Amino acid sequence: MTNDPLQTLGEFIIKKQDDFRYSSGELSRLLSAIRLASKVVNREVNKAGIADIVGQAGNTNIQGEDQQKLDVLANEIFIAALSQREVVCGIASEENDDFIEIKPTENGHLSKYVVLIDPLDGSSNIDVNVSVGTIFSIYRRITEPGTPVELKDFLQKGIHQIAAGYVVYGSSTMIVYTTGNGVNGFTLDPSLGTYYLSHPNMKFPKNGKIYSINEGNYIKFPQGVKDYLKYCQMEEGDRPYTSRYIGSLVSDFHRNMIKGGIYIYPSTSQSPNGKLRLLYECNPMALLAEQAGGKCSDGFHRILEIEPEKLHQRVPFFCGSMEMVEKAEEFMNSKLNSR
Ligand code: AHG
Ligand code: MN
Ligand code: MN
């Protein structure tokens, strides 16, 4: 790879600054803080096997899930990077029960953005050297700058996101994000510690041949999902499709966006709202999917239009290539009464 003709993420952020509706440079600085934190997390993830940072931290988060040491570490890294740079007035994280208020600094700088974050997605994969990720979602606060940030600043519909993205710590590390003008992907050159634009204007293929779902839960799925899975497996036309499930939403989404596919985490008889969290998993992925020509729903309604009620709210999630999601929704709608 010759680096000369490639654009760095830093250059790209500055060039695109004028695209932002409220351009004051603050969003550019916020994205730069995320870029920096992702490099620090990347360093920790890469040495996970040799440092004493794999395994469980010994506590559970508000959702009753065991926290991995790297969940805790990644959370601390992102919160530190974001809270020390006058770029946000509040942060909500999967790993914190409540949102965190970031007070204005002594020089009186008033940040207008809040960030919602899943610092380490797919963390059960960390012990076995499989890709993990980070997901982030950015809103403009709706309360007055200078006043303490409130819950309602975080409980905004996904359509109001100013920017969203993810980092995938995989066979290479990438940051993929949107500010509402398409989706761009940047690959980290680890020798230089610099992200370069490697995947400009990413688009979901309209249709695909991959379905991603934890089929171990099959018996607990709604009838519409069961029927759609049988449709995927039927020998007809371009089917059967291929099943691929990593168990890291970020990685499954990333592959499906490049190759064409659908990711489903439906409701189950035990968890009527599924598993994934609306505010820091589904909404950012939904904005990315739509910006890349894909589709995202709860099986019936557009994810981005759901009115959030709670910080850690869960929602069933169908996301991917437009025609595949539409087909899955058809099956859901035809079995509406046996949900
Ligand atoms: P997290 O590690 O942030 O808790 O998220 C894990 C999520 C998601 O990334 C993944 O697709 C899904 O949980 C996997 O769940 P199952 O193990 O139930 O399939
Ligand atoms: Mn997650
Ligand atoms: Mn997580």
Side-chain angles (χ1 to χ4, degrees):
M1 181 169 85
T2 65
N3 289 328
D4 281 354
L6 293 180
Q7 209 176 139
T8 70
L9 174 56
E11 289 164 347
F12 186 88
I13 290 172
I14 290 166
K15 197 172 117 194
K16 293 285 169 183
Q17 191 163 305
D18 293 342
D19 290 353
F20 306 145
R21 252 163 83 208
Y22 311 98
S23 179
S24 65
E26 190 180 330
L27 184 57
S28 299
R29 288 189 292 112
L30 172 47
L31 291 168
S32 297
I34 291 173
R35 173 185 57 169
L36 172 64
S38 76
K39 290 184 203 173
V40 181
V41 172
N42 180 61
R43 186 188 63 196
E44 299 305 317
V45 166
N46 273 300
K47 64 182 185 198
I50 44 173
D52 182 30
I53 49 175
V54 293
Q56 298 185 354
N59 33 356
T60 53
N61 63 17
I62 186 158
Q63 296 151 79
E65 298 161 341
D66 288 329
Q67 284 180 316
Q68 305 285 321
K69 287 182 194 166
L70 266 169
D71 279 325
V72 177
L73 192 57
N75 193 37
E76 286 169 1
I77 290 167
F78 271 95
I79 290 173
L82 291 170
S83 60
Q84 293 164 8
R85 291 195 158 67
E86 303 180 335
V87 289
V88 286
C89 55
I91 304 170
S93 164
E94 177 188 355
E95 305 304 337
N96 294 93
D97 301 3
D98 292 319
F99 63 84
I100 301 167
E101 183 199 345
I102 311 294
K103 297 216 166 68
T105 48
E106 278 159 18
N107 69 22
H109 179 86
L110 303 178
S111 298
K112 53 183 174 286
Y113 294 111
V114 296
V115 171
L116 296 102
I117 192 159
D118 176 354
L120 204 71
D121 172 69
S123 52
S124 66
N125 279 324
I126 198 78
D127 292 1
V128 290
N129 210 347
V130 169
S131 301
V132 290
T134 294
I135 310 174
F136 60 91
S137 167
I138 301 172
Y139 292 87
R140 198 167 202 253
R141 67 181 298 177
I142 51 180
T143 53
E144 207 45 48
T147 62
V149 75
E150 293 176 41
L151 184 59
K152 63 182 173 197
D153 292 313
F154 298 91
L155 299 186
Q156 300 190 50
K157 286 186 190 176
I159 41 170
H160 298 309
Q161 287 171 105
I162 299 293
Y166 61 80
V167 186
V168 54
Y169 311 97
S171 44
S172 57
T173 291
M174 284 188 69
I175 186 161
V176 174
Y177 79 100
T178 181
T179 53
N181 291 295
V183 176
N184 291 287
F186 302 79
T187 302
L188 182 66
D189 179 334
S191 63
L192 296 171
T194 305
Y195 284 104
Y196 286 96
L197 178 61
S198 53
H199 295 62
N201 198 19
M202 296 178 83
K203 291 284 174 210
F204 265 96
K206 275 213 154 5
N207 213 336
K209 289 180 158 206
I210 297 172
Y211 68 97
S212 317
I213 187 165
N214 186 344
E215 230 167 323
N217 296 326
Y218 183 85
I219 288 182
K220 300 184 232 160
F221 288 158
Q223 192 57 42
V225 172
K226 287 180 176 168
D227 292 348
Y228 176 66
L229 291 178
K230 289 302 147 207
Y231 166 87
C232 293
Q233 293 160 359
M234 211 178 285
E235 205 159 330
E236 198 181 318
D238 61 348
R239 288 168 285 140
Y241 296 155
T242 297
S243 166
R244 289 283 183 274
Y245 188 72
I246 296 170
S248 295
L249 169 62
V250 166
S251 315
D252 281 307
F253 178 100
H254 186 71
R255 183 205 50 243
N256 289 351
M257 178 157 64
I258 290 172
K259 295 193 168 179
I262 184 171
Y263 176 97
I264 306 178
Y265 209 110
S267 59
T268 64
S269 44
Q270 276 156 356
S271 313
N273 297 317
K275 176 181 184 189
L276 299 180
R277 278 59 53 113
L278 173 63
L279 292 176
Y280 42 81
E281 292 182 314
C282 302
N283 269 338
M285 291 315 212
L287 185 66
L288 287 161
E290 290 197 6
Q291 285 290 320
K295 187 169 185 182
C296 252
S297 78
D298 65 357
F300 303 96
H301 316 102
R302 188 180 175 205
I303 290 288
L304 294 179
E305 283 175 20
I306 296 173
E307 187 83 62
E309 287 165 5
K310 288 190 293 197
L311 217 43
H312 300 285
Q313 173 174 343
R314 296 172 196 265
V315 71
F317 193 55
F318 295 63
C319 180
S321 291
M322 177 75 79
E323 289 176 14
M324 296 183 89
V325 175
E326 282 173 351
K327 182 53 95 179
E329 287 174 336
E330 251 176 59
F331 280 96
M332 292 303 285
N333 276 306
S334 68
K335 287 289 174 347
L336 199 51
N337 297 326
S338 42
R339 240 176 126 177

